Amino acid sequence: QTELVSRELIRITLLFPEMWQEALRNASLCYYGHKDVVEMMKILRPLHKRVRNPETLREYHFVQMFGSDLAAAEEHMNQYFSADSAHRNEALVQQAWELYYVVFRRIEKMFPRPTSLALKDTAPTILQCRDMELVVPGMYNPDAENVYIASFDPNLYVYPSKQHPRRMYIYGSNGNQYTFLLKGREDLRQDERSMQLFGLINSLLSKDSETARRSLTIERFPVVPLSSNSGLIGFYSNCENINNIVRYYRESHNQPVNLEQRMALQFSPNWDTLSVMQKVESFEYALSNTPGNDLQRAMWYKSPNAEVWLERRTDYTRSLAVMSIAGYILGLGDRHPSNILIHERTGKVVHIDLGDCFELAAHRDKYPEKVPFRLTRMLIMPMEVSSIEGIFKHTANHTMRVLRANRESLMAVLEAFVYDPLVSWSYLNDTEMGIDTSQDTAKVTSNTSRNAQASEHAARWSMGGNGGANMSDFASMGGSKPDMGVSKAGNGYYENAEGKAWQTGNPKARAIVKRIHDKLVGTDFSNEQLTVSEQIEKLIQQATSSENLAVLYVGWVPLW
């Protein structure tokens, strides 16, 4: 049953049209960017094999429409490889790509992004499953009666976001409905490990009298990886991300969503060419001329009375402080407003998309994140009268004290996380961890012209994803600027990424472990050990520094 459910859920994450579009993008980069025909076919050959063995109604429909063109393209490639390497005909590859181009364009035209999917068309086998012996994902508890899968809802909703995740419902044996997000094109193994770490932190906080008395916890949700690029995420209900909360509030009050950005550009239209101090001046001008209390007012209006508001405000401040410290220890980055949720009933903060761990975002070549956690004006305002100096700092001190006192337990988990052979660190540039890689300079230089050709080809075929998005596009979406050098494992094309063996002596891993150890002993700022209160004070100074916030990428929305 486990194999059946996993296989069918993976099938739903990427349908044939989506699978072929993504494969053709990556294969075109291999061929036109790297002139690597072998790697190109490593990507396409498994899909050709799947096309020859359709199983669902949608897959049969796809094969009827595109099977002949794909078979002809595969035949051209077979003829190309049948000759010895010295006499291979490059024209055959070009003929194959003409067919692939036709298929790509027809898919784009004939298969618009679906808004819903029916299991009877995409995974009919799973629709017939009833009263299974499998526990509902993320619900297993050895100390309690488990809830088993009774059935699956026949319909799935497809979100219009970039990765097009599917929302699905699973009915439990207790009669309850459980909501999950089915995600493809994303490696959730890091998110799962992060949740395990947060579980340990919750356990430590519950055993300390001061933190237990305040009910300090990190809000968690189930994460179940199904493969290296797909998985299930438990749907955290009654939550809304900060980006949407602010947007809805401003739209209801007839205010532009990007009000602060407009003020900054009004002060200095040539933002990209400004020096750091000029950006700081423009940044502070925008803050001084806008209220920035949208989140505070939105939370107040949603509270039925002052008593509920006071309780929500306290829970909000405490949960923000706990997660800020935990995220700092983990090196969690990319905390833009769309990755931080607020629970509508409790006011607690919930963080999602935990892929940028171990300070990867801080070591980007472009727009590195210089802040340890998100503590912008928009998040400080709901704390009201006490601001940072009250509950937030008090909670942060207690949380850091508990983590530092239990650093051996945390280091044991985090070292296993870092040295996990399932998590690929080959996408981390050695130079980013302070390691000399001058011997690779020639190789990098030689790839520059090929990358330029790949970019030109991607633009001609419109296969470049968001490559043509401008700054305002990213600002409206909310998010960090894409960086091909630093990205989540499993995303994009990384040369020889699969062939690099993992070694526990890897200097990158050792640097990560040492950095975590320094945070947990208070030597993260200098060789001199800081007290907990001194460490928290420095972290808050970094997180609220205008110099650090002003140089962040616009999609991170530092002005909020």
Side-chain angles (χ1 to χ4, degrees):
Q1 290 183 353
T2 303
E3 183 181 358
L4 168 67
V5 172
S6 297
R7 185 181 68 247
E8 294 303 304
L9 290 180
I10 292 171
R11 186 197 306 278
I12 299 170
T13 59
L14 280 179
L15 304 179
F16 268 15
E18 297 169 306
M19 202 181 299
W20 272 100
Q21 276 192 311
E22 183 173 3
L24 288 174
R25 286 193 185 100
N26 293 334
S28 68
L29 179 60
C30 289
Y31 178 65
Y32 290 98
H34 301 266
K35 293 300 180 184
D36 192 341
V37 182
V38 175
E39 193 67 30
M40 177 192 98
M41 287 311 294
K42 281 185 181 178
I43 296 173
L44 297 177
R45 194 167 282 120
L47 273 70
H48 280 295
K49 184 177 179 181
R50 285 200 62 181
V51 165
R52 291 194 292 271
N53 299 281
E55 297 181 22
T56 68
L57 186 62
R58 275 181 171 263
E59 292 175 358
Y60 275 107
H61 179 57
F62 180 89
V63 171
Q64 286 178 351
M65 298 184 68
F66 304 104
S68 58
D69 286 339
L70 292 174
E74 185 181 22
E75 179 59 29
H76 287 315
M77 295 309 303
N78 289 338
Q79 292 177 21
Y80 172 82
F81 283 108
S82 64
D84 59 84
S85 57
H87 299 89
R88 287 176 179 171
N89 186 1
E90 195 71 21
L92 290 170
V93 183
Q94 295 295 334
Q95 292 173 23
W97 271 110
E98 289 302 319
L99 291 167
Y100 287 138
Y101 173 79
V102 171
V103 170
F104 181 86
R105 284 302 182 203
R106 287 179 62 197
I107 290 174
E108 198 173 49
K109 183 178 180 180
M110 302 177 67
F111 287 92
R113 297 297 184 185
T115 56
S116 63
L117 295 172
L119 285 183
K120 65 181 179 63
D121 298 330
T122 55
T125 308
I126 205 175
L127 186 59
Q128 299 170 7
C129 294
R130 292 286 189 276
D131 301 321
M132 307 184 75
E133 297 177 7
L134 291 178
V135 176
V136 173
M139 298 296 293
Y140 178 74
N141 186 349
D143 301 321
E145 184 178 354
N146 285 303
V147 180
Y148 296 92
I149 297 175
S151 62
F152 294 85
D153 191 278
N155 297 302
L156 296 87
Y157 171 76
V158 182
Y159 287 89
S161 59
K162 181 182 177 182
Q163 303 294 352
H164 302 286
R166 287 82 156 110
R167 185 178 66 207
M168 67 179 305
Y169 301 102
I170 298 177
Y171 298 100
S173 55
N174 59 356
N176 292 337
Q177 175 182 276
Y178 298 89
T179 309
F180 289 90
L181 211 59
L182 186 59
K183 300 191 76 173
R185 303 189 186 96
E186 194 165 338
D187 191 346
L188 297 181
R189 291 174 295 188
Q190 275 188 213
D191 298 65
E192 181 196 29
R193 286 301 184 91
S194 298
M195 285 299 157
Q196 292 173 359
L197 174 67
F198 295 160
L200 172 61
I201 292 175
N202 284 346
S203 177
L204 297 175
L205 293 174
S206 67
K207 293 177 181 178
D208 182 85
S209 59
E210 290 294 327
T211 54
R213 183 167 60 86
R214 294 172 174 82
S215 302
L216 301 185
T217 58
I218 297 174
E219 297 301 300
R220 300 166 65 232
F221 47 86
V223 178
V224 184
L226 298 171
S227 69
S228 61
N229 62 354
S230 63
L232 277 174
I233 298 179
F235 201 84
Y236 208 100
S237 57
N238 300 313
C239 284
E240 190 62 85
N241 66 57
I242 294 175
N243 185 64
N244 286 342
I245 293 174
V246 175
R247 181 163 57 86
Y248 296 151
Y249 176 83
R250 291 191 174 181
E251 287 176 352
S252 65
H253 288 77
N254 296 318
Q255 296 176 357
V257 177
N258 59 343
L259 176 62
E260 292 87 354
Q261 187 182 1
R262 288 188 181 185
M263 295 297 295
L265 292 176
Q266 178 183 328
F267 185 80
S268 49
N270 54 334
W271 176 268
D272 292 332
T273 61
L274 298 180
S275 66
V276 174
M277 294 311 298
Q278 288 173 327
K279 286 186 177 181
V280 170
E281 186 178 3
S282 178
F283 178 83
E284 292 181 343
Y285 171 82
L287 294 187
S288 62
N289 285 276
T290 52
N293 61 349
D294 307 83
L295 181 61
Q296 175 199 20
R297 302 310 298 167
M299 292 174 67
W300 166 257
Y301 288 145
K302 290 183 178 181
S303 301
N305 53 57
E307 183 181 1
V308 172
W309 157 243
L310 182 61
E311 185 177 346
R312 289 181 181 177
R313 186 185 73 181
T314 303
D315 286 342
Y316 163 82
T317 308
R318 285 176 174 169
S319 62
L320 180 65
V322 172
M323 189 59 210
S324 295
I325 301 306
Y328 169 66
I329 298 299
L330 183 60
L332 187 62
D334 201 25
R335 298 298 88 198
H336 57 78
S338 295
N339 279 345
I340 303 178
L341 314 182
I342 306 292
H343 197 281
E344 294 178 352
R345 295 179 183 173
T346 65
K348 290 185 176 182
V349 173
V350 184
H351 283 249
I352 61 173
D353 196 359
L354 310 175
D356 275 329
C357 298
F358 306 121
E359 299 185 347
L360 299 190
H363 295 97
R364 289 195 179 101
D365 290 333
K366 294 183 178 180
Y367 303 105
E369 293 184 14
K370 299 297 185 182
V371 292
F373 44 79
R374 188 179 187 94
L375 191 60
T376 55
R377 177 181 65 164
M378 194 79 78
L379 296 185
I380 297 172
M381 285 282 190
M383 302 178 195
E384 291 203 328
V385 63
S386 63
S387 188
I388 297 173
E389 298 299 324
I391 296 175
F392 181 89
K393 183 179 284 188
H394 200 59
T395 302
N397 275 286
H398 278 302
T399 304
M400 183 63 83
R401 174 183 59 80
V402 171
L403 298 187
R404 285 176 60 165
N406 295 274
R407 57 179 171 269
E408 290 83 6
S409 300
L410 290 169
M411 285 302 299
V413 172
L414 285 166
E415 283 187 33
F417 192 166
V418 174
Y419 292 130
D420 187 349
L422 295 178
V423 180
S424 172
W425 298 103
S426 58
Y427 54 83
L428 251 179
N429 292 330
D430 291 334
T431 52
E432 292 171 342
M433 301 305 299
I435 300 164
D436 183 23
T437 54
S438 56
Q439 64 269 22
D440 294 333
T441 303
K443 180 179 178 181
V444 173
T445 305
S446 66
N447 286 337
T448 304
S449 61
R450 291 189 301 180
N451 291 338
Q453 294 174 8
S455 300
E456 181 181 352
H457 173 72
R460 184 173 70 86
W461 273 42
S462 298
M463 285 187 168
N466 281 333
N470 57 34
M471 299 289 275
S472 60
D473 293 332
F474 285 113
S476 63
M477 290 188 294
S480 295
K481 186 175 178 63
D483 189 339
M484 289 306 292
V486 180
S487 183
K488 292 185 68 173
N491 286 350
Y493 170 78
Y494 301 98
E495 188 172 8
N496 298 325
E498 296 297 326
K500 293 185 178 179
W502 178 253
Q503 299 176 0
T504 55
N506 190 313
K508 291 175 283 189
R510 289 202 304 267
I512 290 169
V513 172
K514 184 181 184 303
R515 175 64 177 158
I516 295 170
H517 179 267
D518 289 343
K519 293 177 182 178
L520 289 171
V521 297
T523 56
D524 44 341
F525 289 95
S526 64
N527 293 329
E528 182 181 350
Q529 186 176 21
L530 301 176
T531 64
V532 170
S533 58
E534 290 172 340
Q535 187 181 18
I536 295 299
E537 187 65 39
K538 284 187 174 294
L539 289 174
I540 291 175
Q541 288 175 3
Q542 278 193 346
T544 56
S545 166
S546 294
E547 287 81 1
N548 290 339
L549 292 170
V551 296
L552 290 174
Y553 179 62
V554 65
W556 199 85
V557 201
L559 288 164
W560 281 11

Coordinates of all heavy atoms in Angstrom, one line a residue, residues 260-275 277-286:
E260 N 5.8 51.9 0.0 CA 7.1 52.2 0.4 C 8.1 52.2 -0.7 O 9.0 53.1 -0.8 CB 7.6 51.2 1.5 CG 6.8 51.3 2.8 CD 5.6 50.5 2.9 OE1 5.2 49.9 1.8 OE2 4.9 50.4 3.9
Q261 N 7.9 51.3 -1.6 CA 8.9 51.2 -2.7 C 8.7 52.4 -3.6 O 9.7 53.0 -4.2 CB 8.6 49.9 -3.5 CG 9.6 49.7 -4.6 CD 9.3 48.4 -5.5 OE1 8.4 47.8 -5.2 NE2 10.2 48.2 -6.4
R262 N 7.5 52.9 -3.8 CA 7.2 54.1 -4.6 C 7.9 55.3 -4.0 O 8.5 56.1 -4.6 CB 5.7 54.3 -4.7 CG 5.0 53.4 -5.6 CD 3.6 53.8 -5.8 NE 2.8 52.9 -6.6 CZ 1.5 53.2 -7.0 NH1 0.9 54.3 -6.7 NH2 0.9 52.3 -7.8
M263 N 7.8 55.4 -2.6 CA 8.5 56.5 -1.9 C 10.0 56.5 -2.1 O 10.6 57.5 -2.3 CB 8.1 56.5 -0.4 CG 6.6 56.7 -0.2 SD 6.0 58.3 -0.7 CE 6.9 59.3 0.4
A264 N 10.5 55.3 -2.0 CA 12.0 55.2 -2.2 C 12.4 55.5 -3.6 O 13.4 56.2 -3.7 CB 12.4 53.7 -1.8
L265 N 11.7 55.1 -4.6 CA 12.0 55.4 -6.0 C 11.8 56.9 -6.3 O 12.4 57.5 -7.1 CB 11.2 54.5 -6.9 CG 11.6 53.1 -6.9 CD1 10.7 52.3 -7.8 CD2 13.0 52.9 -7.3
Q266 N 10.8 57.5 -5.6 CA 10.5 58.9 -5.7 C 11.7 59.7 -5.2 O 12.1 60.7 -5.8 CB 9.3 59.3 -5.0 CG 8.9 60.8 -5.0 CD 7.7 61.1 -4.2 OE1 6.8 60.3 -4.1 NE2 7.7 62.3 -3.6
F267 N 12.3 59.2 -4.1 CA 13.4 59.9 -3.5 C 14.7 59.7 -4.3 O 15.5 60.7 -4.5 CB 13.7 59.4 -2.1 CG 14.8 60.1 -1.3 CD1 14.5 61.3 -0.7 CD2 16.0 59.5 -1.2 CE1 15.5 62.0 0.0 CE2 17.0 60.2 -0.5 CZ 16.8 61.4 0.1
S268 N 14.9 58.5 -4.9 CA 16.1 58.2 -5.7 C 15.7 57.3 -6.8 O 15.7 56.0 -6.6 CB 17.2 57.7 -4.9 OG 16.7 56.6 -4.1
P269 N 15.3 57.8 -8.0 CA 14.8 56.9 -9.1 C 15.9 55.9 -9.6 O 15.6 54.8 -10.0 CB 14.5 57.9 -10.2 CG 14.3 59.2 -9.5 CD 15.2 59.2 -8.4
N270 N 17.2 56.3 -9.5 CA 18.3 55.4 -10.0 C 18.7 54.5 -8.8 O 19.9 54.5 -8.5 CB 19.4 56.2 -10.5 CG 19.9 57.2 -9.5 OD1 19.2 57.7 -8.6 ND2 21.1 57.6 -9.6
W271 N 17.8 53.7 -8.3 CA 18.1 52.9 -7.1 C 19.3 51.9 -7.3 O 20.2 51.8 -6.4 CB 16.9 52.1 -6.7 CG 17.1 51.1 -5.5 CD1 17.4 49.8 -5.6 CD2 17.0 51.4 -4.2 NE1 17.5 49.3 -4.3 CE2 17.3 50.3 -3.4 CE3 16.7 52.6 -3.4 CZ2 17.2 50.2 -2.0 CZ3 16.7 52.5 -2.1 CH2 16.9 51.4 -1.4
D272 N 19.4 51.3 -8.4 CA 20.4 50.2 -8.7 C 21.8 50.8 -8.7 O 22.7 50.0 -8.5 CB 20.1 49.5 -10.0 CG 18.8 48.6 -9.9 OD1 18.5 48.2 -8.7 OD2 18.1 48.4 -10.9
T273 N 21.9 52.0 -9.0 CA 23.3 52.6 -9.1 C 23.7 53.3 -7.8 O 24.8 53.9 -7.8 CB 23.3 53.6 -10.3 OG1 22.4 54.7 -10.0 CG2 22.9 52.9 -11.6
L274 N 22.9 53.3 -6.8 CA 23.3 54.0 -5.6 C 24.3 53.3 -4.8 O 24.4 52.1 -4.8 CB 22.0 54.2 -4.7 CG 20.8 55.0 -5.3 CD1 19.7 55.1 -4.3 CD2 21.3 56.4 -5.7
S275 N 25.0 54.1 -4.0 CA 26.0 53.5 -3.0 C 25.2 53.0 -1.8 O 24.0 53.3 -1.7 CB 27.0 54.5 -2.6 OG 26.4 55.6 -1.9
M277 N 25.3 53.9 1.3 CA 24.8 55.0 2.2 C 23.7 55.8 1.5 O 22.8 56.2 2.2 CB 26.0 56.0 2.5 CG 27.1 55.4 3.4 SD 26.4 54.5 4.9 CE 25.5 55.9 5.7
Q278 N 23.7 55.9 0.2 CA 22.6 56.5 -0.5 C 21.4 55.7 -0.4 O 20.2 56.2 -0.3 CB 23.0 56.8 -2.0 CG 24.0 57.9 -2.2 CD 24.5 57.9 -3.6 OE1 24.6 56.9 -4.3 NE2 24.9 59.1 -4.0
K279 N 21.5 54.3 -0.5 CA 20.4 53.4 -0.4 C 19.8 53.5 1.0 O 18.6 53.5 1.2 CB 20.8 52.0 -0.7 CG 21.0 51.7 -2.1 CD 21.3 50.2 -2.4 CE 21.4 49.9 -3.9 NZ 21.7 48.5 -4.2
V280 N 20.7 53.7 2.0 CA 20.2 53.8 3.4 C 19.4 55.1 3.6 O 18.3 55.1 4.2 CB 21.4 53.8 4.4 CG1 20.9 54.2 5.8 CG2 22.1 52.4 4.4
E281 N 19.9 56.1 3.0 CA 19.1 57.4 3.1 C 17.8 57.3 2.4 O 16.8 57.8 2.9 CB 20.0 58.5 2.4 CG 19.4 59.9 2.5 CD 20.3 61.0 1.9 OE1 21.3 60.6 1.3 OE2 19.9 62.2 2.0
S282 N 17.7 56.7 1.2 CA 16.5 56.5 0.5 C 15.5 55.5 1.3 O 14.3 55.8 1.4 CB 16.7 55.9 -0.9 OG 15.5 55.7 -1.6
F283 N 16.1 54.5 1.9 CA 15.4 53.5 2.7 C 14.7 54.2 3.9 O 13.5 54.0 4.2 CB 16.3 52.4 3.1 CG 15.7 51.4 4.0 CD1 15.1 50.3 3.5 CD2 15.9 51.4 5.4 CE1 14.5 49.3 4.3 CE2 15.4 50.5 6.2 CZ 14.7 49.4 5.7
E284 N 15.5 55.0 4.6 CA 15.0 55.7 5.8 C 13.9 56.8 5.4 O 13.0 57.0 6.2 CB 16.1 56.3 6.6 CG 17.0 55.2 7.2 CD 18.1 55.7 8.0 OE1 18.4 56.9 7.9 OE2 18.7 54.9 8.8
Y285 N 14.1 57.4 4.3 CA 13.1 58.4 3.8 C 11.8 57.7 3.6 O 10.7 58.2 4.0 CB 13.6 59.0 2.5 CG 12.6 59.9 1.8 CD1 12.4 61.2 2.2 CD2 11.8 59.4 0.8 CE1 11.4 62.0 1.6 CE2 10.8 60.2 0.2 CZ 10.6 61.5 0.6 OH 9.7 62.3 0.0
A286 N 11.8 56.5 2.9 CA 10.5 55.8 2.7 C 9.9 55.4 4.0 O 8.6 55.5 4.1 CB 10.8 54.6 1.8

